[in-house]
Amino acid sequence: MSGPLHRRIYADLERRILSGDWAPGQRIPFEHELTAAYGCSRMTVNKAISELAGRGLVTRRRRAGTFVAQPKAHAAVLAIPDLRAEVVERGQAYGYRLLERRERDAATEEESDLARDGRLLDLACLHSADGAPLALERRLIALSAAPEAARVDFGVTPPGSWLLDQAPWTEAENRIAAVEAESAEARLLGLKTGAACLRVERRTWRDGQGVTRVWQTFPGDRYDLIARFSSRGDRR
């Protein structure tokens, strides 16, 4: 697996958990043990474990270590997708275009809750697969939570991919709705005005502090979003 080392560590640990190699309630290796095994900094290992905790795969116990979480019956698992990675994994050519970028103050009460007395990075971008528009994205990033974002060239790097790598979340909320494409959206997505679309609104937090809020609009026939349910408590 290419990419940042903490993502490789995350993938390795996730595989051990989801395969059942590490059973619920089992303690995973201590951070200093993983640091030695991967030859990296403790911060890198901590970032990988934070992402596992954010997905609910592990729980941290002070002074005791990190343990594989007990599965929750009837739980819905909706992972936060990396659109670039998903498109590439399907064997398609990924495309990305930054439409707008500006740094600004919060304009509403909800935006103030996200900004936390800081400024917001307001981004609009378009994702495509094999040359066909896949998703129109509008995203707000709280610079108080991710100050490095102000220096990132999002004309090259998709913000969702960067956030997953650099600003791991511990809590997320998803809202999904069927909507009709407005004229500006329809033009960018190559649709007729009023065409059926899927809109995903997502918020993420890290230790109680808002990180990002994003709206992604997908043509109704070009993206499948799957929620996985388990009545037996096992993860799939």
Short mmCIF file of all heavy atoms in Angstrom, two decimals, residues 178-212:
data_model
loop_
_atom_site.label_atom_id
_atom_site.label_comp_id
_atom_site.label_asym_id
_atom_site.label_seq_id
_atom_site.Cartn_x
_atom_site.Cartn_y
_atom_site.Cartn_z
N ALA A 178 -32.11 12.72 -0.96
CA ALA A 178 -32.33 12.77 -2.40
C ALA A 178 -32.73 14.20 -2.75
O ALA A 178 -33.62 14.77 -2.12
CB ALA A 178 -33.43 11.79 -2.81
N VAL A 179 -32.06 14.79 -3.72
CA VAL A 179 -32.32 16.18 -4.09
C VAL A 179 -32.41 16.29 -5.61
O VAL A 179 -32.02 15.38 -6.34
CB VAL A 179 -31.21 17.13 -3.57
CG1 VAL A 179 -31.14 17.08 -2.04
CG2 VAL A 179 -29.86 16.77 -4.18
N GLU A 180 -32.91 17.42 -6.07
CA GLU A 180 -32.92 17.73 -7.49
C GLU A 180 -31.82 18.73 -7.79
O GLU A 180 -31.62 19.68 -7.03
CB GLU A 180 -34.29 18.31 -7.90
CG GLU A 180 -35.43 17.32 -7.77
CD GLU A 180 -36.75 17.91 -8.23
OE1 GLU A 180 -36.80 19.14 -8.49
OE2 GLU A 180 -37.74 17.16 -8.34
N ALA A 181 -31.09 18.51 -8.87
CA ALA A 181 -29.98 19.38 -9.21
C ALA A 181 -30.47 20.76 -9.61
O ALA A 181 -31.34 20.90 -10.47
CB ALA A 181 -29.18 18.76 -10.35
N GLU A 182 -29.91 21.79 -8.95
CA GLU A 182 -30.19 23.15 -9.37
C GLU A 182 -29.37 23.46 -10.62
O GLU A 182 -28.47 22.71 -10.99
CB GLU A 182 -29.86 24.12 -8.22
CG GLU A 182 -30.71 23.86 -6.98
CD GLU A 182 -30.37 24.81 -5.84
OE1 GLU A 182 -29.42 25.63 -6.01
OE2 GLU A 182 -31.02 24.73 -4.79
N SER A 183 -29.67 24.58 -11.25
CA SER A 183 -29.09 24.85 -12.56
C SER A 183 -27.56 24.86 -12.55
O SER A 183 -26.92 24.26 -13.43
CB SER A 183 -29.61 26.17 -13.11
OG SER A 183 -29.33 27.24 -12.21
N ALA A 184 -26.96 25.53 -11.55
CA ALA A 184 -25.49 25.60 -11.51
C ALA A 184 -24.89 24.22 -11.25
O ALA A 184 -23.88 23.85 -11.86
CB ALA A 184 -25.05 26.58 -10.43
N GLU A 185 -25.50 23.46 -10.35
CA GLU A 185 -25.03 22.10 -10.06
C GLU A 185 -25.18 21.22 -11.30
O GLU A 185 -24.27 20.45 -11.63
CB GLU A 185 -25.84 21.51 -8.90
CG GLU A 185 -25.66 22.21 -7.57
CD GLU A 185 -26.60 21.67 -6.52
OE1 GLU A 185 -27.72 21.23 -6.88
OE2 GLU A 185 -26.24 21.69 -5.33
N ALA A 186 -26.32 21.32 -11.94
CA ALA A 186 -26.58 20.49 -13.11
C ALA A 186 -25.56 20.75 -14.21
O ALA A 186 -25.06 19.81 -14.85
CB ALA A 186 -27.99 20.76 -13.64
N ARG A 187 -25.20 22.00 -14.41
CA ARG A 187 -24.23 22.33 -15.45
C ARG A 187 -22.88 21.67 -15.16
O ARG A 187 -22.25 21.09 -16.04
CB ARG A 187 -24.07 23.85 -15.55
CG ARG A 187 -23.01 24.32 -16.54
CD ARG A 187 -23.01 25.83 -16.65
NE ARG A 187 -22.88 26.45 -15.34
CZ ARG A 187 -21.71 26.63 -14.72
NH1 ARG A 187 -20.59 26.18 -15.25
NH2 ARG A 187 -21.67 27.25 -13.54
N LEU A 188 -22.43 21.75 -13.91
CA LEU A 188 -21.13 21.19 -13.55
C LEU A 188 -21.13 19.66 -13.56
O LEU A 188 -20.11 19.03 -13.86
CB LEU A 188 -20.71 21.70 -12.17
CG LEU A 188 -20.30 23.17 -12.11
CD1 LEU A 188 -20.25 23.67 -10.67
CD2 LEU A 188 -18.94 23.38 -12.78
N LEU A 189 -22.27 19.06 -13.26
CA LEU A 189 -22.37 17.61 -13.20
C LEU A 189 -22.80 17.00 -14.53
O LEU A 189 -22.92 15.78 -14.65
CB LEU A 189 -23.34 17.19 -12.09
CG LEU A 189 -22.87 17.44 -10.65
CD1 LEU A 189 -24.00 17.20 -9.67
CD2 LEU A 189 -21.66 16.58 -10.31
N GLY A 190 -23.03 17.84 -15.52
CA GLY A 190 -23.43 17.33 -16.83
C GLY A 190 -24.83 16.75 -16.83
O GLY A 190 -25.11 15.77 -17.52
N LEU A 191 -25.74 17.38 -16.06
CA LEU A 191 -27.11 16.89 -15.93
C LEU A 191 -28.10 17.94 -16.40
O LEU A 191 -27.74 19.10 -16.62
CB LEU A 191 -27.40 16.55 -14.45
CG LEU A 191 -26.49 15.55 -13.76
CD1 LEU A 191 -26.81 15.52 -12.27
CD2 LEU A 191 -26.64 14.17 -14.37
N LYS A 192 -29.35 17.52 -16.50
CA LYS A 192 -30.42 18.47 -16.73
C LYS A 192 -30.87 19.05 -15.40
O LYS A 192 -30.85 18.36 -14.38
CB LYS A 192 -31.60 17.78 -17.43
CG LYS A 192 -31.30 17.31 -18.85
CD LYS A 192 -32.53 16.68 -19.47
CE LYS A 192 -32.26 16.23 -20.90
NZ LYS A 192 -33.46 15.60 -21.52
N THR A 193 -31.27 20.31 -15.41
CA THR A 193 -31.80 20.91 -14.19
C THR A 193 -32.97 20.08 -13.67
O THR A 193 -33.86 19.69 -14.44
CB THR A 193 -32.26 22.36 -14.46
OG1 THR A 193 -31.15 23.13 -14.91
CG2 THR A 193 -32.83 22.99 -13.20
N GLY A 194 -32.94 19.80 -12.37
CA GLY A 194 -33.98 18.99 -11.76
C GLY A 194 -33.70 17.50 -11.75
O GLY A 194 -34.50 16.73 -11.22
N ALA A 195 -32.55 17.09 -12.30
CA ALA A 195 -32.20 15.66 -12.31
C ALA A 195 -32.01 15.15 -10.88
O ALA A 195 -31.60 15.89 -9.98
CB ALA A 195 -30.93 15.44 -13.13
N ALA A 196 -32.29 13.87 -10.69
CA ALA A 196 -32.17 13.25 -9.36
C ALA A 196 -30.71 13.11 -8.95
O ALA A 196 -29.88 12.63 -9.72
CB ALA A 196 -32.85 11.89 -9.35
N CYS A 197 -30.40 13.54 -7.72
CA CYS A 197 -29.04 13.45 -7.18
C CYS A 197 -29.09 12.94 -5.75
O CYS A 197 -30.13 12.99 -5.08
CB CYS A 197 -28.36 14.82 -7.19
SG CYS A 197 -28.01 15.49 -8.82
N LEU A 198 -27.96 12.45 -5.30
CA LEU A 198 -27.77 12.04 -3.91
C LEU A 198 -26.86 13.08 -3.26
O LEU A 198 -25.79 13.39 -3.78
CB LEU A 198 -27.10 10.67 -3.84
CG LEU A 198 -26.71 10.18 -2.44
CD1 LEU A 198 -27.94 9.76 -1.66
CD2 LEU A 198 -25.74 9.01 -2.54
N ARG A 199 -27.30 13.62 -2.12
CA ARG A 199 -26.46 14.58 -1.41
C ARG A 199 -26.09 14.03 -0.04
O ARG A 199 -26.95 13.61 0.74
CB ARG A 199 -27.17 15.93 -1.25
CG ARG A 199 -26.32 16.96 -0.47
CD ARG A 199 -26.89 18.36 -0.62
NE ARG A 199 -26.80 18.79 -2.01
CZ ARG A 199 -27.59 19.74 -2.53
NH1 ARG A 199 -28.52 20.30 -1.79
NH2 ARG A 199 -27.45 20.08 -3.80
N VAL A 200 -24.81 14.03 0.23
CA VAL A 200 -24.30 13.59 1.52
C VAL A 200 -23.74 14.81 2.24
O VAL A 200 -22.86 15.51 1.71
CB VAL A 200 -23.19 12.53 1.36
CG1 VAL A 200 -22.65 12.13 2.73
CG2 VAL A 200 -23.70 11.32 0.60
N GLU A 201 -24.28 15.09 3.41
CA GLU A 201 -23.73 16.14 4.27
C GLU A 201 -23.01 15.47 5.43
O GLU A 201 -23.56 14.60 6.09
CB GLU A 201 -24.83 17.06 4.80
CG GLU A 201 -24.29 18.14 5.74
CD GLU A 201 -25.38 18.98 6.38
OE1 GLU A 201 -26.56 18.84 5.97
OE2 GLU A 201 -25.07 19.76 7.29
N ARG A 202 -21.77 15.86 5.65
CA ARG A 202 -20.96 15.19 6.67
C ARG A 202 -20.28 16.22 7.55
O ARG A 202 -19.77 17.24 7.07
CB ARG A 202 -19.92 14.30 6.00
CG ARG A 202 -19.04 13.53 6.97
CD ARG A 202 -18.06 12.64 6.21
NE ARG A 202 -18.77 11.68 5.37
CZ ARG A 202 -18.75 11.70 4.04
NH1 ARG A 202 -18.05 12.62 3.39
NH2 ARG A 202 -19.41 10.79 3.35
N ARG A 203 -20.24 15.93 8.85
CA ARG A 203 -19.47 16.74 9.80
C ARG A 203 -18.53 15.81 10.54
O ARG A 203 -18.88 14.68 10.85
CB ARG A 203 -20.39 17.43 10.81
CG ARG A 203 -21.45 18.32 10.20
CD ARG A 203 -22.22 19.03 11.30
NE ARG A 203 -23.39 19.72 10.77
CZ ARG A 203 -24.04 20.67 11.42
NH1 ARG A 203 -23.63 21.04 12.62
NH2 ARG A 203 -25.09 21.24 10.89
N THR A 204 -17.34 16.30 10.82
CA THR A 204 -16.40 15.52 11.63
C THR A 204 -15.86 16.37 12.76
O THR A 204 -15.75 17.60 12.65
CB THR A 204 -15.22 14.98 10.79
OG1 THR A 204 -14.44 16.08 10.30
CG2 THR A 204 -15.71 14.13 9.63
N TRP A 205 -15.53 15.69 13.84
CA TRP A 205 -14.96 16.33 15.02
C TRP A 205 -13.72 15.55 15.44
O TRP A 205 -13.58 14.36 15.15
CB TRP A 205 -15.94 16.31 16.19
CG TRP A 205 -17.17 17.12 16.01
CD1 TRP A 205 -17.41 18.39 16.45
CD2 TRP A 205 -18.40 16.70 15.38
NE1 TRP A 205 -18.68 18.80 16.11
CE2 TRP A 205 -19.30 17.79 15.46
CE3 TRP A 205 -18.78 15.53 14.74
CZ2 TRP A 205 -20.59 17.72 14.92
CZ3 TRP A 205 -20.07 15.46 14.20
CH2 TRP A 205 -20.96 16.54 14.30
N ARG A 206 -12.80 16.20 16.12
CA ARG A 206 -11.68 15.54 16.76
C ARG A 206 -11.64 15.98 18.20
O ARG A 206 -11.42 17.14 18.51
CB ARG A 206 -10.35 15.87 16.06
CG ARG A 206 -9.16 15.10 16.68
CD ARG A 206 -7.88 15.24 15.88
NE ARG A 206 -7.40 16.60 15.86
CZ ARG A 206 -7.29 17.35 14.76
NH1 ARG A 206 -7.66 16.85 13.58
NH2 ARG A 206 -6.84 18.57 14.81
N ASP A 207 -11.92 15.02 19.08
CA ASP A 207 -11.95 15.29 20.52
C ASP A 207 -12.85 16.47 20.85
O ASP A 207 -12.50 17.35 21.64
CB ASP A 207 -10.53 15.55 21.04
CG ASP A 207 -9.61 14.35 20.84
OD1 ASP A 207 -10.12 13.22 20.92
OD2 ASP A 207 -8.41 14.55 20.60
N GLY A 208 -14.03 16.49 20.22
CA GLY A 208 -15.02 17.52 20.52
C GLY A 208 -14.91 18.79 19.72
O GLY A 208 -15.82 19.63 19.76
N GLN A 209 -13.84 18.98 18.99
CA GLN A 209 -13.67 20.19 18.19
C GLN A 209 -13.99 19.91 16.73
O GLN A 209 -13.48 18.95 16.15
CB GLN A 209 -12.24 20.72 18.30
CG GLN A 209 -12.02 22.00 17.48
CD GLN A 209 -10.63 22.58 17.66
OE1 GLN A 209 -9.79 22.00 18.33
NE2 GLN A 209 -10.39 23.74 17.06
N GLY A 210 -14.84 20.73 16.14
CA GLY A 210 -15.20 20.55 14.75
C GLY A 210 -14.01 20.68 13.83
O GLY A 210 -13.17 21.58 14.00
N VAL A 211 -13.91 19.79 12.84
CA VAL A 211 -12.82 19.83 11.86
C VAL A 211 -13.33 20.29 10.51
O VAL A 211 -12.79 21.22 9.91
CB VAL A 211 -12.15 18.44 11.73
CG1 VAL A 211 -11.06 18.49 10.65
CG2 VAL A 211 -11.56 18.00 13.06
N THR A 212 -14.40 19.65 10.02
CA THR A 212 -14.88 20.01 8.69
C THR A 212 -16.37 19.76 8.57
O THR A 212 -16.97 18.96 9.30
CB THR A 212 -14.12 19.21 7.60
OG1 THR A 212 -14.47 19.70 6.31
CG2 THR A 212 -14.47 17.73 7.67
#
